[in-house]
Amino acid sequence: MIETLKQHVLSGGMINEEQARELAAIPNKEALYEAAHQITHHFMGNKFDTCSIINAKSGNCSEDCKWCAQSGHYKTNVTLYPLLPAEECIRHATHNHKQGISRFALVTSGKKVSDKDMAKITETVRLIKQACDIKCCASMGLLSREQLQALYDSGTENYHCNIETAPSYFRTLCTTHTTQQKLETIRTAREIGFRICSGGIIGMGETVEQRIEMALLLQKEGILSIPLNLLQPIPGTPLEKAQPLTDEEFLTTIALFRFINPNAYLRFSGGRARLSEKVQRKALYIGINSAIIGDLLTTIGSRVAEDKVLFTSEGYSLTENTCLLYTSPSPRDMRRSR
């Protein structure tokens, strides 16, 4: 069955929920991993996409997401601060650009940013674009169409909005907003011209079937940059005592996501520090072909130089243009090519 479904995907077909469940139940995981590797190589080659992020505004979030250290509903040790000044963001952006990182994302806590903060953010993006040639991304919650348009006009190219988990499980983890609101934000951002980045967190108590549900929703939405976070239980949050996934559960999830989303960048994100180097290398072999590197939001990230050695030693190239496979051309790209 693995061979049949692999050939189906390689020939341009997409697998459905029933087929994905059958793959998940296969006892021969090594055969599943090898098939996912072949799909990755066929569709994505050896290109590897890198990005970095800065927590541009931290804490005091109104939302009750059970996994998040920045929620105002829980008592955690997260550092609280307002929107960072432009100078600090520019310093981080230029530093990451010098290290050869392709993208730099401004990330803010909260359901959405205020119009006052948005005016500062758009000016910061313009100044970053003047200072260096790094591509700018943003993750700022459920923005209005007007805010998204202003962000796009400033030079921001990619918008990130995780769906976090399966729609059938989301309400268990968050009651202050919905999956549908996230999808509306994603669709509006795409209409404006953004490339879209959206994924989620695994290991929050969801079932294998719900991980498949999340992967299929991302497939349906045509998402081609998918961060796969591994839950890092934060003291003070409702998930602080969540049981960690086994290595096999994590690697199987990557293989399933690759079968379901064959031409997407599957991205190492939060929680990678919990994995051994052996498991990280196995994940890269199976289907991980992008990563957030450097510091993360509220936990320690990775060392850039060490990551570069890790990724290239697994056969990936960090110097090729990844935008061509990221998604279909945005209006801004089409204008530039004329």
Side-chain angles (χ1 to χ4, degrees), residues 90 102 105 107 110 128 193 249 294-295 301:
I90 295 167
S102 302
V107 182
I128 289 173
E249 287 174 315
D295 291 334

Side-chain angles (χ1 to χ4, degrees), residues 207-227:
T207 63
V208 173
E209 291 76 16
Q210 286 166 329
R211 291 175 208 143
I212 290 170
E213 181 187 345
M214 176 169 67
L216 286 168
L217 177 56
L218 294 167
Q219 177 204 93
K220 179 182 177 183
E221 293 297 319
I223 306 299
L224 298 183
S225 174
I226 302 176

Side-chain angles (χ1 to χ4, degrees), residues 22-234:
E22 290 175 353
L23 285 172
I26 287 173
N28 187 351
K29 299 303 182 186
E30 289 301 323
L32 176 66
Y33 301 158
E34 179 60 32
H37 165 75
Q38 292 176 30
I39 292 170
T40 302
H41 183 74
H42 176 83
F43 285 99
M44 309 299 289
N46 69 337
K47 292 182 174 66
F48 198 94
D49 188 63
T50 58
C51 64
S52 61
I53 61 178
I54 184 172
N55 198 14
K57 180 182 179 182
S58 179
N60 284 327
C61 180
S62 63
E63 307 306 283
D64 66 356
C65 307
K66 290 184 178 180
W67 62 84
C68 187
Q70 300 195 63
S71 172
H73 293 260
Y74 318 123
K75 293 183 179 179
T76 67
N77 292 325
V78 69
T79 302
L80 307 178
Y81 53 83
L83 190 68
L84 292 175
E87 294 77 11
E88 183 72 3
C89 297
I90 295 167
R91 184 175 68 83
H92 280 267
T94 53
H95 174 71
N96 283 302
H97 183 251
K98 288 176 181 177
Q99 294 186 91
I101 298 173
S102 302
R103 310 175 194 281
F104 177 71
L106 297 172
V107 182
T108 57
S109 65
K111 189 171 187 175
K112 61 184 290 187
V113 301
S114 66
D115 288 339
K116 181 179 179 180
D117 277 350
M118 181 55 68
K120 295 177 182 177
I121 289 165
T122 54
E123 179 60 20
T124 295
V125 172
R126 291 187 180 95
L127 292 171
I128 289 173
K129 301 296 282 186
Q130 291 173 15
C132 65
D133 194 33
I134 200 166
K135 297 184 182 301
C136 289
C137 314
S139 180
M140 298 177 179
L142 308 177
L143 298 183
S144 67
R145 178 177 289 272
E146 292 74 21
Q147 290 177 315
L148 286 166
Q149 187 67 59
L151 194 59
Y152 182 78
D153 292 343
S154 73
T156 308
E157 296 164 302
N158 308 302
Y159 196 72
H160 168 266
C161 183
N162 273 347
I163 61 170
E164 306 296 3
T165 191
S168 65
Y169 192 56
F170 187 85
R171 194 70 178 173
T172 305
L173 299 171
C174 176
T175 66
T176 48
H177 61 274
T178 66
T179 299
Q180 186 58 39
Q181 286 175 290
K182 287 176 171 289
L183 291 175
E184 289 170 0
T185 301
I186 287 168
R187 292 164 185 168
T188 300
R190 173 174 278 141
E191 288 172 7
I192 288 171
F194 284 104
R195 297 185 178 93
I196 302 299
C197 179
S198 181
I201 308 170
I202 59 174
M204 297 194 290
E206 76 287 345
T207 63
V208 173
E209 291 76 16
Q210 286 166 329
R211 291 175 208 143
I212 290 170
E213 181 187 345
M214 176 169 67
L216 286 168
L217 177 56
L218 294 167
Q219 177 204 93
K220 179 182 177 183
E221 293 297 319
I223 306 299
L224 298 183
S225 174
I226 302 176
L228 283 175
N229 296 270
L230 187 60
L231 178 70
Q232 299 184 88
I234 304 294

